[in-house]
Amino acid sequence: EAGVTQFPSHSVIEKGQTVTLRCDPISGHDNLYWYRRVMGKEIKFLLHFVKESKQDESGMPNNRFLAERTGGTYSTLKVQPAELEDSGVYFCASSAQGDTEAFFGQGTRLTVV
Amino acid sequence: AQSVTQLDSQVPVFEEAPVELRCNYSSSVSVYLFWYVQYPNQGLQLLLKYLSGSTLVKGINGFEAEFNKSQTSFHLRKPSVHISDTAEYFCAGVLVRGGADGLTFGKGTHLIIQP
């Protein structure tokens, strides 16, 4: 069974550009989470989907970030326009309904220059 | 959890020696606690978790952790480490309540195994 996959693994973009990160959760997992780790800091929660609905987006830093999960399958996280402080590793995780264990993807390393 | 603290940013230890990675949490309500490991160029992998019941939990790769409510700690231990244990270790928590909330992570501890 495939795990959580994220694309791309690395992205380098210029300040002001747009980037879209994609996450494919484990098939059948209703819960999907986005996290971010800025260099030297802890991994921080961004938002939580249950199927296609946003359950909790309290961690989203500002309105330059837009997450979607159309159809309740894969999810995208768009940053528009990107700023230097958006650099970091973006992790996606998924879990089955009622399960406490979240499975993580390898992350997307975003560098804004 | 409302906050999770890992005071040690890195822990050097000799191969085959025991190791303890410290984790403390802060919460006014019950929490679930987890330890994740990130090997170089890989994603986070669950080592073990405490939900309820026995306070000593055993995980993969010979690791174990003990939940101590009075000290609000969940330290990770291994009696004898190997070079392959070199990785970054994250303690994380979530409040026990309906739903599957996002995790609160500590800053991570680099475990450095010296031959």
Side-chain angles (χ1 to χ4, degrees):
Chain A
E1 179 183 341
V4 177
T5 56
Q6 293 186 244
F7 182 83
S9 57
H10 295 83
S11 180
V12 181
I13 62 171
E14 292 184 350
K15 176 182 172 180
Q17 289 187 321
T18 298
V19 64
T20 300
L21 313 181
R22 173 172 169 142
C23 169
D24 285 77
I26 292 173
S27 178
H29 280 190
D30 288 341
N31 294 301
L32 188 149
Y33 308 84
W34 283 99
Y35 294 86
R36 176 175 75 171
R37 188 182 195 195
V38 173
M39 186 178 292
K41 305 276 183 136
E42 64 270 28
I43 300 169
K44 286 210 164 182
F45 166 79
L46 296 179
L47 87 159
H48 170 206
F49 282 100
V50 177
K51 296 184 180 178
E52 67 275 8
S53 300
K54 291 177 185 175
Q55 182 76 13
D56 179 359
E57 52 184 330
S58 61
M60 294 287 266
N62 52 62
N63 59 10
R64 295 185 294 102
F65 288 76
L66 175 63
E68 294 180 322
R69 192 182 183 195
T70 307
T73 54
Y74 71 91
S75 175
T76 57
L77 180 64
K78 180 189 287 188
V79 185
Q80 178 182 30
E83 299 289 344
L84 299 179
E85 63 264 25
D86 301 331
S87 296
V89 180
Y90 290 77
F91 291 102
C92 175
S94 72
S95 67
Q97 185 179 12
D99 195 350
T100 55
E101 180 174 355
F103 295 83
F104 281 77
Q106 291 188 320
T108 293
R109 182 174 295 277
L110 175 64
T111 304
V112 183
V113 297
Chain B
Q2 294 171 326
S3 71
V4 175
T5 302
Q6 292 177 252
L7 288 175
D8 304 310
S9 60
Q10 60 181 34
V11 173
V13 63
F14 287 105
E15 193 173 15
E16 297 184 9
V19 69
E20 177 180 85
L21 305 184
R22 296 181 295 167
C23 172
N24 288 87
Y25 69 93
S26 170
S27 177
S28 57
V29 296
S30 297
V31 296
Y32 294 145
L33 293 165
F34 306 80
W35 275 98
Y36 282 85
V37 59
Q38 185 179 24
Y39 298 105
N41 301 315
Q42 295 187 29
L44 282 80
Q45 179 182 2
L46 182 67
L47 269 180
L48 47 78
K49 61 184 176 183
Y50 172 76
L51 305 182
S52 64
S54 174
T55 57
L56 182 65
V57 291
K58 294 187 182 296
I60 61 171
N61 301 340
F63 284 92
E64 64 180 32
E66 185 158 19
F67 172 69
N68 189 319
K69 188 174 182 179
S70 62
Q71 297 186 6
T72 60
S73 68
F74 190 55
H75 301 331
L76 181 70
R77 303 186 186 100
K78 186 170 182 177
S80 175
V81 296
H82 302 283
I83 288 287
S84 59
D85 293 322
T86 298
E88 190 165 17
Y89 293 78
F90 296 91
C91 183
V94 66
L95 299 179
V96 177
R97 61 184 182 191
D101 296 342
L103 296 166
T104 299
F105 282 88
K107 288 190 174 182
T109 299
H110 285 278
L111 178 59
I112 301 166
I113 311 299
Q114 301 168 324

